[in-house]
Amino acid sequence: SFDRNKTLWQENVANVPWVSVHVDENAASKLISTYNVQSIPTLFLMNRKGELIQRVDDMKKLDATIAKIL
């Protein structure tokens, strides 16, 4: 998340079943360009080592994509 209000972000993601990451404004522009974020939310599948596996472009295919990776 690139939300300016970290407290509000924490409240909104408290019960989601995935890891949600928040960065401060200084890192935002670098991360947006590094990961080619064109819309929010943008989802990435990562392994337990924190390595990027795949970008998820279609939420409707998320379950199938995860099943394929596992």
Side-chain angles (χ1 to χ4, degrees):
S1 171
F2 302 116
D3 293 324
R4 291 183 182 188
N5 185 330
K6 187 173 181 178
T7 303
L8 183 60
W9 166 79
Q10 287 172 322
E11 291 171 4
N12 284 303
V13 299
N15 295 313
V16 298
W18 55 80
V19 175
S20 183
V21 180
H22 182 272
V23 296
D24 61 37
E25 287 184 50
N26 296 330
S29 62
K30 181 179 178 186
L31 291 172
I32 287 171
S33 63
T34 298
Y35 290 99
N36 192 27
V37 174
Q38 297 178 3
S39 63
I40 304 287
T42 297
L43 303 173
F44 299 95
L45 297 177
M46 302 179 94
N47 65 19
R48 292 178 190 261
K49 296 178 185 176
E51 299 165 331
L52 181 64
I53 296 174
Q54 185 172 339
R55 178 186 189 116
V56 178
D57 292 320
D58 186 350
M59 286 293 295
K60 294 176 186 174
K61 297 179 182 178
L62 179 61
D63 289 337
T65 302
I66 292 172
K68 187 169 78 173
I69 292 169
L70 296 176

